[in-house]
Structures are given as C-alpha cells and as structure tokens.
C-alpha cells in the first residue's frame, strides 16, 4: 500500500516562501505522476500542480504560475513544492496525490489513486 506523507507547512507572512515535501513509501511499481491539490476553508479542493514521475513534465494552475515550482527526487521517492511570493489566498490545507496511470486530465482529483493526510499552509501578517 502506497503511503504519502506531506511536511513543511506552517505560518508565513505575505510575500514569504515555504517548501513542502511529499514522501512516498510502499511503492512497488512505477507510477505515472504526482500532484499537489489544496483546499481552503469553505471551498472545494482545487488542483495546484502536477509532475510526471519519469519525464518530469509539469503543469500548473493559473493561480500559481510563476510563483510555485514543483520538482521530484526519484531516488528519494519525494516530491517538492517550492512556494514563493505567497498570498493570503494561498492559505489552505495542501495535499499530495499520486496517479498510477496516465489520464486525459491531470487536474481531476478522481484520477488520483493515493492521497496524503495534508499539511496546513497559512499566509497571514
């Protein structure tokens, strides 16, 4: 059973930076991609970014383009999310997710097979 564990969340001032990590364990097969989603209080879960595991192809939501960068370390089975120029609107619980198979859309939560427990990111002065 694949387990995903996020870390790195916290409280940061507007304009600040945070780096999230998502460590995968228990994987006995090749996976297609990993992604970050987030959910703010009272709002639906939204897609943030995804990265294909072998090729490193990335895709971002418009709201984070130019500010967030996703990367992965294959040897460590870990995905990262570098978040810069953070805004109060970025406040949310951030979840990492893993999809074993390719799909037409990378932004649909239903296409992901495994999820982490989430890490809180709060952007506030």
């Amino acid at each position: 059973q694949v387990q995903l564990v996020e870390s790195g969340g916290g409280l940061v001032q507007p304009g600040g930076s945070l780096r999230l990590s998502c460590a995968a364990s228990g994987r006995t097969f090749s996976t297609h991609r990993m992604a970050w989603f987030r959910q703010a209080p009272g709002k639906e879960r939204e897609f943030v970014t995804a990265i294909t595991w072998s090729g490193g192809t990335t895709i971002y939501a418009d709201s984070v383009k130019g500010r967030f960068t996703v990367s992965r370390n294959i040897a460590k089975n870990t995905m990262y999310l570098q978040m810069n120029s953070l805004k109060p609107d970025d406040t949310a619980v951030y979840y990492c997710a893993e999809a074993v198979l390719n799909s037409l859309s990378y932004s649909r939560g239903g296409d992901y097979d495994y999820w982490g427990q989430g890490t809180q990111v709060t952007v506030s002065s």
Side-chain angles (χ1 to χ4, degrees):
Q1 182 74 6
V2 173
Q3 290 189 323
L4 304 177
V5 179
E6 302 99 334
S7 61
L11 173 64
V12 63
Q13 292 187 341
S17 298
L18 277 177
R19 188 193 195 205
L20 306 183
S21 298
C22 174
S25 62
R27 186 187 292 159
T28 60
F29 45 80
S30 178
T31 197
H32 181 259
R33 68 187 181 279
M34 295 185 73
W36 290 97
F37 288 78
R38 66 187 182 185
Q39 188 167 20
K43 295 187 177 180
E44 293 187 354
R45 181 181 61 194
E46 67 171 343
F47 171 79
V48 176
T49 181
I51 184 167
T52 60
W53 200 246
S54 60
T57 300
T58 59
I59 182 172
Y60 295 91
D62 288 343
S63 59
V64 305
K65 277 181 184 176
R67 300 188 298 122
F68 290 11
T69 303
V70 63
S71 61
R72 87 273 192 246
N73 184 318
I74 294 175
K76 293 184 177 181
N77 273 334
T78 301
M79 176 179 63
Y80 304 97
L81 182 63
Q82 179 66 43
M83 305 186 293
N84 298 328
S85 302
L86 283 161
K87 306 174 182 179
D89 284 349
D90 295 317
T91 296
V93 177
Y94 283 70
Y95 298 92
C96 66
E98 179 171 330
V100 176
L101 300 176
N102 196 1
S103 59
L104 292 177
S105 170
Y106 286 8
S107 62
R108 293 190 314 188
D111 290 331
Y112 289 81
D113 304 290
Y114 303 100
W115 292 82
Q117 82 288 349
T119 186
Q120 176 70 46
V121 171
T122 302
V123 185
S124 174
S125 55

